[in-house]
């Protein structure tokens, strides 16, 4: 079955359950697991029920679409995502994102947990993503171009929409949430980086590092979807502090920031 046939099959399945038309979509990364509590929910569909959909294997990463309202805005939320390090290929990793676009979402807000490379960052900071480096992972658009979705050689000079970034800065100021800004770099994972890699990434201009998001942003931009992104800096990247990195630290910091992260995401989505 071709990728387009898989996407169309999944779309038919979802349309058999709901006619919900999202205006915007959000990917809820670590730290926003409880975000559905902010939504007036119309319908939920676990990825596992959708034909051809990848299912997350990581502890603490539930996987489902949640359709509902944030304020007056119809929103499709991805609670959980799948990662390249789980063994899926990039076409599978971005399949749910493409589905959000096919369901009608014109904007996508991506969120994640990331390690801070920029030495002025602190664990618990939120970072508005200004640009990204994807060169270390396979491109999700590799293979036959899905011409119905977008062009063969899509422009990536402004992955993260300038106007929307301006709105997010204003939303953050409005709800009193300090916001850093910077470049996100995606690694294949699942091992954390070495101190030497982090020094190299800093030299490349990266401010934060994680194992998701950038390929999702490429797939969304391919379809002409407006993209914005916010990282929760859960830890300083390898080699900056004396202590080793661990998943528990990432989860703990993400949980501490959940309140302000939630307020900011609600302000951003409700304002659309
Ligand atoms: N590196 C990669 N991914 C991450 C990190 C990190 O330091 N923190 C949270 N996700």
């Amino acid at each position: 079955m071709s990728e387009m046939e898989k996407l169309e099959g999944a779309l038919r399945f979802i349309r058999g359950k709901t006619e919900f038309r999202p205006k915007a979509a959000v990917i809820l990364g670590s730290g926003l697991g409880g975000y559905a509590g902010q939504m007036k929910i119309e319908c939920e569909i676990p990825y596992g029920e959708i034909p051809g959909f990848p299912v997350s294997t990581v502890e603490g990463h539930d996987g489902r679409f949640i359709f509902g309202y944030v304020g007056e805005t119809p929103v499709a939320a991805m609670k959980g995502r799948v990662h390249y390090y789980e063994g899926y290929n990039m076409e599978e990793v971005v399949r749910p994102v493409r589905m959000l676009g096919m369901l009608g979402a014109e904007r996508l807000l991506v969120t994640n947990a990331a390690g801070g490379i920029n030495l002025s960052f602190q664990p618990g900071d939120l970072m508005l993503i200004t640009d990204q480096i994807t060169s270390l992972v396979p491109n999700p658009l590799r293979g036959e171009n899905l011409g119905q979705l977008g062009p063969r050689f899509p422009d990536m000079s402004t992955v993260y929409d300038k106007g929307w970034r301006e709105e997010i800065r204003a939303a953050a100021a409005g709800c009193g949430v300090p916001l850093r800004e910077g470049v996100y770099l995606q690694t294949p994972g699942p091992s954390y980086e070495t101190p030497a890699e982090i020094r190299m990434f800093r030299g490349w201009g990266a401010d934060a590092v994680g194992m998701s998001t950038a390929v999702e942003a490429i797939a969304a931009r391919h379809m002409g979807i407006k993209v914005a992104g916010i990282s929760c800096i859960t830890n300083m990247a390898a080699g900056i502090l004396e202590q080793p990195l661990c998943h528990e630290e990432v989860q703990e910091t993400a949980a501490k920031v959940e309140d302000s992260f939630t307020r900011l995401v609600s302000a951003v989505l409700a304002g659309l």
Side-chain angles (χ1 to χ4, degrees):
M1 211 192 289
S2 73
E3 183 59 20
M4 208 57 225
E5 285 166 344
K6 284 182 194 160
L7 288 165
E8 279 160 359
L11 182 63
R12 269 196 304 279
F13 177 86
I14 295 170
R15 282 293 172 235
K17 300 241 171 212
T18 178
E19 280 300 312
F20 191 85
R21 299 226 163 244
K23 181 172 175 190
V26 58
I27 304 180
L28 304 170
S30 312
L32 287 173
Y35 190 77
Q38 306 298 310
M39 298 172 68
K40 192 170 136 287
I41 298 174
E42 296 267 309
C43 174
E44 297 187 47
I45 308 178
Y47 302 146
E49 289 181 10
I50 305 172
F53 253 53
V55 178
S56 176
T57 56
V58 190
E59 198 190 326
H61 289 251
D62 182 18
R64 56 180 58 225
F65 281 134
I66 302 170
F67 302 110
Y69 292 85
V70 177
E72 305 285 300
T73 312
V75 171
M78 273 173 64
K79 182 164 192 283
R81 50 155 68 93
V82 295
H83 299 81
Y84 182 66
Y85 61 72
E86 295 177 69
Y88 293 109
N89 63 43
M90 284 307 186
E91 206 165 57
E92 293 168 314
V93 168
V94 302
R95 198 171 287 153
V97 171
R98 286 175 157 160
M99 192 53 39
L100 295 171
M102 291 170 76
L103 287 164
E106 294 159 13
R107 297 191 187 219
L108 172 68
L109 177 63
V110 287
T111 71
N112 59 46
I117 295 178
N118 185 319
L119 297 170
S120 77
F121 288 179
Q122 285 182 347
D125 281 348
L126 296 178
M127 183 193 89
L128 182 64
I129 304 177
T130 55
D131 201 352
Q132 66 182 28
I133 297 172
T134 344
S135 319
L136 296 177
V137 294
N139 195 295
L141 309 182
R142 178 172 179 272
E144 188 192 351
N145 183 46
L146 307 184
Q148 293 110 300
L149 302 187
R152 172 75 291 187
F153 300 110
D155 174 51
M156 291 291 147
S157 30
T158 316
V159 176
Y160 296 90
D161 190 77
K162 266 194 175 154
W164 199 8
R165 269 190 268 155
E166 203 50 60
E167 290 166 35
I168 293 174
R169 284 187 201 107
C175 51
V177 174
L179 198 55
R180 310 292 205 131
E181 301 203 2
V183 173
Y184 177 91
L185 179 146
Q186 179 170 0
T187 70
S191 52
Y192 289 116
E193 303 70 36
T194 64
E197 285 168 330
I198 294 302
R199 287 193 297 274
M200 174 174 77
F201 296 164
R202 189 178 300 121
W204 285 359
D207 297 290
V209 59
M211 304 174 194
S212 67
T213 299
V215 292
E216 298 162 339
I218 288 181
R221 286 307 302 139
H222 177 237
M223 299 176 74
I225 297 169
K226 273 191 188 180
V227 176
I230 304 171
S231 292
C232 172
I233 305 297
T234 51
N235 57 283
M236 293 314 288
I240 296 178
L241 306 176
E242 286 300 311
Q243 76 231 37
L245 273 56
C246 68
H247 188 51
E248 288 69 34
E249 181 191 7
V250 168
Q251 289 180 309
E252 264 170 40
T253 312
K256 277 188 202 150
V257 182
E258 177 144 16
D259 264 10
S260 53
F261 206 174
T262 296
R263 273 190 288 129
L264 176 57
V265 167
S266 286
V268 170
L269 295 174
L272 296 177

